[in-house]
Amino acid sequence: MDIPKRYDAKEAERRWQIFWETEGIYKFNPADTSPIYSLDTPPPTVSGEMHIGHAMAYIQADTIMRFQRMLGKSIFYPFGFDDNGLATELYVEKKTGRLAEEMSRHEFVELCLKESELAEKRLLEDWKSLGISPDWDMSYRTTNEWCRKTSQRSFIQLYNKGRAYRKYEPTVWCPKCGTAIAQVETEDKLLPSTLYDITFNVEGEDLFIATSRPELLPACVSVFYHPTDERYKRYAGKNAKVPLFGHEVPIMADEKADPESGTGIVMCCTAGDSTDVEWWKTHNLPWISVIDERGKMKAEAGKYAGLRIKNARKAIVEDLAEQGLLNDKADISHTVNVHERCGTAVEYIMTKQWFIKYLDLKDLFLEAGAKLNWYPPYMQSRYDNWVKGLKWDWCISRQRYYGISFPVWYCEDCEFEVIAGEKDLPVVPSEDAPPIDKCPKCGCDRFKPELDVLDTWATSSLTPQIAAKWQEDDSLFNRIYPMSLRSNGHDIITFWLFNTVVKGLLHENEIPWKDVIINGFVLDPKREKMSKSKGNIIKPQVSIERYSGDALRFWACSAKLGEDLPYEDKELRRGVKMINKLWNASKFTLLHLDGYDLKLDELEVTDRWLLSKLNRLIGVCTDSFNDYEFSNVKKTLENFFWHTFCDVYLEIVKDRLYTPERGEEAKRSAQYTLYVALLAMLKMMAPIMPHITEEIYHVYFAEKENCKSIHISKWPELVGSMIDETVEETGDKAEDVISAVRKYKTLNKKALNAQISRVLINCDKETEVQLESTCADLKATLHADVIEFGDAEDNIITEKYEFKLRVDW
């Protein structure tokens, strides 16, 4: 065989990626009647580059799909890009230097479509370089026609069920992005602030109330104290006069008021936070809106109208101090709710938005979470805690330019909602006419389009439906849904996973997958979170260029599910060593299989020893992959390959392969074992290192198995009859002797192939019988003239079995 001396990973990996795609190795065949195994993966956004966390997560999930493919299952493995929503808008504005407000809506949308398509073409090559194995022909964009149709169909059906509704409501609002956001798009952030003690007046008496947001004084609608707080009970039923603005507000008791916070009595403003909104709803308070959609004070703020929030705060504090109404102030740090996209503190303003009603279904969502198989199991608590903490229905409308349109028009006279017919989807109401000529409510023939767009998560939450052609191909959908597996980062359990469960239950009354695997984060070598501000970001393409895709995959499989994984060059270098060792060991093995006809007479003891251990390994790796424990496969297989196969077995059989005097049967036994063991190890390593294993497979095994790729070959089968504890014990004892003598040679500064005149082994009779069956291999491996048994003064004791040995030169 003509086997190159070195393996060129850079050349080979690209070559095999092209081969897999052109040969359709991973193509899903709807006509295949084999059991389907399907994966729902997060569609990455096109607004940035692939980062190392992406690489780890997709590689980990891909190992599972490659394993399941080798089990003979029909693999349904789509891939999508999320090019929808605010992230793409910001990306396009930054890249082109053109703002959405500077052009027509249609022009900006066309620009976003063009730029996102260009970004996807570039990013697609990055994702392919990871060696992942989706059916690229099933790729989708969340703004393509099918995705728009699916999203609008979902909205229409939920509207018809009474689940989608439009209402003036206090809305979580980002003043920087100028749009409503959902509860799930916020995060808590510890920020510096100032706590002000402000003087209110109650029937001529001073009442000190602490707040960090004095700019909301004009929106104060009530004052609350805790029902058990003796300091303030006497104010029940009275009114407090708001400083600077002069209006009076009721003083009431409520258990949400914290006696230990500030002065123990708090003003309720519409609305500083979610607690204010809850008080507003619970106590039927008036709503005073003082902050507009861009974070400026409104006319209701009096002389402070038009000021930015921070400037209004400063001006009001100065006026309070000037009038002697500022009792005290102190610097503090407190937790603020911010928009996770831009880090801006959110406001709660009254706007008309579209919502999905689901707060009444929290128990159903918890039941659904309990039905899912979580890997690792403790991740379910994050889902449960999120569901239990829900306070708002899902706000699905966004005041942006680029996104999927609501299929809605409104009567210009009476605001009657006109909904598109499903047969007309997808529609763009700003460009398309409504399905009716006159309003059925008032007879008006003038309609205006809904200009808000759907929340991007309203589309991403439909990835199983998008991939499985929901209500387009019922035969396929019913075979695919629910899907087998969802791969998910723990940071988007509350985003993507929960919302997909919601859509699955509302549309199909069924959870969308059977199993969920949750991956951790990638940390820098100091175990700190990676961020652009810290300058510790690692780009996967740099790692692939330096070490190879297989080495990156080897590193990615080092972590268990749910565990954060530090990025360390030493682990990637370890992957490179594994590739080189695999290549060199395979080259040695295959050269000695040249001309071998796969016939076998009888196996030698050490060959049976290796095959027994090999079959145990097959069992461990199969069970581990079935339990999504790819890291255990990597660790166990790596140890077997390096130690048991390379360090021990190959050294044992070299003499039989090179020395004709050992006999043809002894050589054939070794060849059979080498063939079976190498092929099995390649197949078990293939899901983790797909390129190098494919390269070696095609050197020799592809023709033998009449299979065009290792990745569609059959997974190694555990042969129970090959597992023999007695043979394993015999081989282990021989290994113990070999290891001890090798160490003795090293300590005496002798070469491992240095000749020994005699090895005398002092052991029990049973062991003597066992080791005698391996004497020929022992002599050859140890380069000993004779192996004898008996009592003698020892100069070595073995590590595992503590046999006494004497080595004579």
Side-chain angles (χ1 to χ4, degrees):
M1 284 177 281
D2 184 18
I3 305 176
K5 184 177 181 180
R6 299 182 185 277
Y7 170 69
D8 184 346
K10 187 173 182 179
E11 180 277 330
E13 290 188 350
R14 183 62 186 144
R15 171 164 43 85
W16 287 119
Q17 289 159 15
I18 294 171
F19 173 84
W20 295 330
E21 192 168 352
T22 56
E23 293 293 322
I25 299 299
Y26 308 133
K27 191 167 181 60
F28 174 72
N29 179 10
D32 188 348
T33 59
S34 303
I36 291 178
Y37 193 88
S38 52
L39 174 65
D40 185 22
T41 57
T45 62
V46 301
S47 56
E49 297 178 325
M50 179 176 68
H51 59 70
I52 198 71
H54 283 136
M56 182 191 75
Y58 276 79
I59 287 168
Q60 289 179 351
D62 184 68
T63 63
I64 304 301
M65 302 312 289
R66 288 183 175 279
F67 164 71
Q68 293 289 340
R69 185 181 287 113
M70 294 176 74
L71 290 182
K73 295 179 183 177
S74 179
I75 298 300
F76 186 81
Y77 184 2
F79 186 89
F81 277 113
D82 186 2
D83 53 3
N84 189 7
L86 179 59
T88 302
E89 279 194 29
L90 298 176
Y91 164 76
V92 171
E93 287 182 332
K94 182 178 180 181
K95 182 175 184 291
T96 64
R98 303 178 66 189
L99 300 178
E101 303 93 87
E102 298 174 349
M103 63 191 89
S104 70
R105 186 188 190 100
H106 177 80
E107 186 181 1
F108 182 67
V109 168
E110 289 299 312
L111 181 63
C112 287
L113 288 170
K114 174 186 173 184
E115 291 296 336
S116 61
E117 185 174 5
L118 290 173
E120 284 162 17
K121 288 180 180 178
R122 172 180 54 82
L123 284 169
L124 189 59
E125 294 307 309
D126 289 345
W127 290 95
K128 288 181 178 180
S129 70
L130 297 177
I132 58 175
S133 61
D135 180 349
W136 298 110
D137 291 337
M138 292 197 299
S139 297
Y140 62 85
R141 304 172 64 192
T142 54
T143 53
N144 69 18
E145 183 173 317
W146 167 246
C147 290
R148 288 188 289 123
K149 182 176 183 178
T150 304
S151 295
Q152 291 180 341
R153 173 181 283 154
S154 169
F155 170 81
I156 291 170
Q157 292 188 6
L158 294 178
Y159 180 89
N160 291 335
K161 290 179 179 181
R163 285 287 168 190
Y165 66 93
R166 187 170 180 247
K167 185 179 180 181
Y168 273 113
E169 276 282 297
T171 307
V172 185
W173 188 273
C174 177
K176 181 177 181 180
C177 299
T179 183
I181 59 176
Q183 181 182 348
V184 73
E185 294 174 273
T186 67
E187 62 184 9
D188 290 336
K189 191 173 183 179
L190 190 65
L191 295 174
S193 186
T194 303
L195 190 66
Y196 304 92
D197 276 6
I198 298 174
T199 306
F200 282 61
N201 185 275
V202 183
E203 298 177 353
E205 179 184 349
D206 289 342
L207 179 65
F208 301 122
I209 296 179
T211 180
S212 62
R213 300 205 62 184
E215 72 275 13
L216 292 178
L217 280 170
C220 181
V221 292
S222 182
V223 170
F224 286 101
Y225 64 91
H226 195 275
T228 63
D229 196 331
E230 296 294 336
R231 295 172 294 174
Y232 301 114
K233 281 185 177 182
R234 61 193 177 91
Y235 293 114
K238 295 184 179 183
N239 291 331
K241 188 176 181 180
V242 179
L244 296 185
F245 296 92
H247 62 286
E248 292 191 343
V249 297
I251 303 174
M252 294 184 282
D254 191 285
E255 291 186 351
K256 287 187 179 296
D258 182 1
E260 304 299 323
S261 177
T263 60
I265 190 165
V266 63
M267 65 179 189
C268 170
C269 302
T270 49
D273 58 24
S274 60
T275 302
D276 288 333
V277 177
E278 290 179 45
W279 277 331
W280 170 77
K281 287 186 176 183
T282 302
H283 297 279
N284 196 27
L285 297 169
W287 186 276
I288 302 175
S289 179
V290 295
I291 297 175
D292 71 10
E293 289 85 349
R294 283 298 178 181
K296 289 185 177 182
M297 305 303 288
K298 297 172 67 175
E300 288 82 353
K303 75 172 190 177
Y304 308 102
L307 294 178
R308 290 280 179 189
I309 293 172
K310 288 185 178 180
N311 294 334
R313 182 182 304 166
K314 181 181 178 182
I316 288 174
V317 168
E318 288 175 351
D319 288 350
L320 287 168
E322 185 178 328
Q323 297 185 31
L325 298 171
L326 183 62
N327 182 53
D328 195 10
K329 66 177 183 178
D331 292 334
I332 61 169
S333 293
H334 66 160
T335 301
V336 177
N337 221 211
V338 301
H339 186 190
E340 57 84 28
R341 175 69 63 182
C342 65
T344 302
V346 301
E347 300 295 340
Y348 293 80
I349 65 175
M350 187 72 77
T351 59
K352 202 167 192 177
Q353 303 289 343
W354 282 100
F355 298 87
I356 291 178
K357 179 184 177 182
Y358 66 14
L359 285 181
D360 58 319
L361 301 177
K362 289 168 73 169
D363 287 343
L364 179 64
F365 298 152
L366 289 171
E367 290 173 11
K371 290 178 182 177
L372 286 170
N373 299 314
W374 294 83
Y375 298 86
Y378 64 82
M379 286 294 177
Q380 183 186 340
S381 64
R382 300 196 182 196
Y383 172 93
D384 290 347
N385 291 338
W386 171 254
V387 174
K388 291 173 183 177
L390 285 174
K391 298 177 181 178
W392 314 86
D393 280 340
W394 182 5
C395 178
I396 59 169
S397 49
R398 298 292 181 268
Q399 290 65 55
R400 300 302 305 176
Y401 304 91
Y402 177 65
I404 296 175
S405 304
F406 280 87
V408 181
W409 298 258
Y410 305 103
C411 171
E412 286 193 6
D413 283 354
C414 70
E415 288 283 313
F416 180 80
E417 295 162 356
V418 179
I419 308 299
E422 288 193 37
K423 61 180 177 56
D424 299 323
L425 301 180
V427 296
V428 181
S430 61
E431 300 176 6
D432 299 327
I436 59 174
D437 297 325
K438 290 187 177 182
C439 174
K441 185 177 179 181
C442 71
C444 174
D445 61 358
R446 300 181 311 279
F447 299 91
K448 57 185 178 182
E450 172 62 88
L451 296 179
D452 287 356
V453 295
L454 282 158
D455 168 24
T456 185
W457 294 103
T459 299
S460 296
S461 60
L462 291 164
T463 50
Q465 287 87 346
I466 289 168
K469 300 299 180 184
W470 176 55
Q471 298 194 356
E472 190 83 6
D473 185 341
D474 290 344
S475 175
L476 175 65
F477 184 80
N478 292 334
R479 291 182 67 203
I480 300 295
Y481 196 93
M483 298 180 78
S484 307
L485 181 64
R486 157 62 71 92
S487 170
N488 211 117
H490 60 70
D491 56 324
I492 55 173
I493 289 174
T494 55
F495 282 81
W496 186 46
L497 188 147
F498 170 69
N499 289 335
T500 312
V501 169
V502 169
K503 287 291 186 78
L505 293 173
L506 292 180
H507 286 301
E508 303 300 321
N509 196 30
E510 193 169 13
I511 53 177
W513 336 272
K514 298 180 179 70
D515 297 345
V516 174
I517 57 174
I518 306 295
N519 61 270
F521 285 145
V522 177
L523 308 177
D524 73 6
K526 296 179 181 178
R527 297 184 179 271
E528 295 180 359
K529 188 175 180 180
M530 292 186 179
S531 68
K532 290 181 180 178
S533 62
K534 292 180 180 178
N536 59 354
I537 295 290
I538 300 293
K539 294 182 179 180
Q541 296 310 310
V542 174
S543 300
I544 291 172
E545 181 70 23
R546 184 179 300 169
Y547 298 110
S548 78
D550 277 344
L552 185 68
R553 292 176 66 99
F554 190 78
W555 159 81
C557 292
S558 300
K560 296 179 181 178
L561 282 171
E563 287 186 352
D564 294 341
L565 177 64
Y567 179 91
E568 296 178 304
D569 283 315
K570 67 177 183 180
E571 188 63 26
L572 279 99
R573 288 194 293 269
R574 188 173 171 182
V576 172
K577 289 181 180 179
M578 181 69 183
I579 291 169
N580 292 335
K581 188 71 171 179
L582 198 56
W583 179 255
N584 291 329
S586 298
K587 183 170 64 173
F588 169 83
T589 298
L590 296 180
L591 287 172
H592 287 284
L593 292 179
D594 196 17
Y596 174 57
D597 59 9
L598 301 182
K599 290 182 180 178
L600 175 68
D601 297 314
E602 187 175 349
L603 286 169
E604 299 273 318
V605 171
T606 47
D607 300 330
R608 289 162 55 201
W609 165 77
L610 184 79
L611 294 175
S612 181
K613 286 184 173 292
L614 176 72
N615 277 275
R616 288 190 191 276
L617 176 71
I618 292 170
V620 169
C621 291
T622 304
D623 290 345
S624 295
F625 264 135
N626 276 322
D627 291 334
Y628 307 118
E629 294 177 354
F630 42 79
S631 64
N632 191 50
V633 176
K634 180 226 174 195
K635 180 179 69 175
T636 309
L637 182 55
E638 179 188 17
N639 181 65
F640 180 89
F641 171 74
W642 275 93
H643 176 68
T644 306
F645 184 73
C646 293
D647 291 348
V648 180
Y649 182 73
L650 289 185
E651 294 302 317
I652 288 175
V653 298
K654 279 180 180 178
D655 187 68
R656 282 194 263 150
L657 297 171
Y658 285 121
T659 309
E661 290 79 10
R662 291 289 301 274
E664 187 62 28
E665 289 185 8
K667 179 180 179 180
R668 291 170 68 86
S669 177
Q671 288 176 312
Y672 173 84
T673 305
L674 288 170
Y675 181 98
V676 171
L678 179 59
L679 180 57
M681 287 186 294
L682 288 174
K683 290 187 175 187
M684 288 185 283
M685 185 58 76
I688 296 172
M689 291 181 141
H691 305 93
I692 179 66
T693 51
E694 185 79 283
E695 182 87 358
I696 297 168
Y697 185 77
H698 274 264
V699 171
Y700 182 80
F701 296 105
E703 182 179 351
K704 295 288 185 181
E705 292 201 318
N706 192 27
C707 183
K708 63 181 180 180
S709 172
I710 192 172
H711 302 296
I712 54 174
S713 67
K714 187 178 179 182
W715 182 258
E717 183 178 351
L718 189 158
V719 181
S721 61
M722 292 298 298
I723 297 177
D724 188 324
E725 291 185 3
T726 301
V727 166
E728 285 192 43
E729 183 182 332
T730 300
D732 289 346
K733 289 177 177 178
E735 179 190 352
D736 204 24
V737 170
I738 292 170
S739 176
V741 174
R742 283 179 167 179
K743 286 182 179 179
Y744 183 71
K745 285 185 175 181
T746 301
L747 287 171
N748 284 273
K749 298 182 180 180
K750 301 283 188 179
L752 293 182
N753 62 355
Q755 198 64 29
I756 298 171
S757 63
R758 183 183 71 156
V759 176
L760 182 61
I761 305 174
N762 188 353
C763 60
D764 57 65
K765 192 63 180 177
E766 179 185 358
T767 300
E768 181 180 334
V769 172
Q770 290 175 321
L771 291 178
E772 281 182 339
S773 66
T774 68
C775 262
D777 282 337
L778 278 176
K779 284 173 60 179
T781 307
L782 299 177
H783 298 276
D785 294 334
V786 294
I787 303 287
E788 294 180 352
F789 298 89
D791 296 329
E793 183 180 349
D794 60 87
N795 49 23
I796 306 175
I797 298 179
T798 66
E799 289 185 359
K800 183 176 180 180
Y801 291 99
E802 297 183 347
F803 304 141
K804 295 179 179 180
L805 306 179
R806 178 168 184 80
V807 173
D808 295 323
W809 302 104

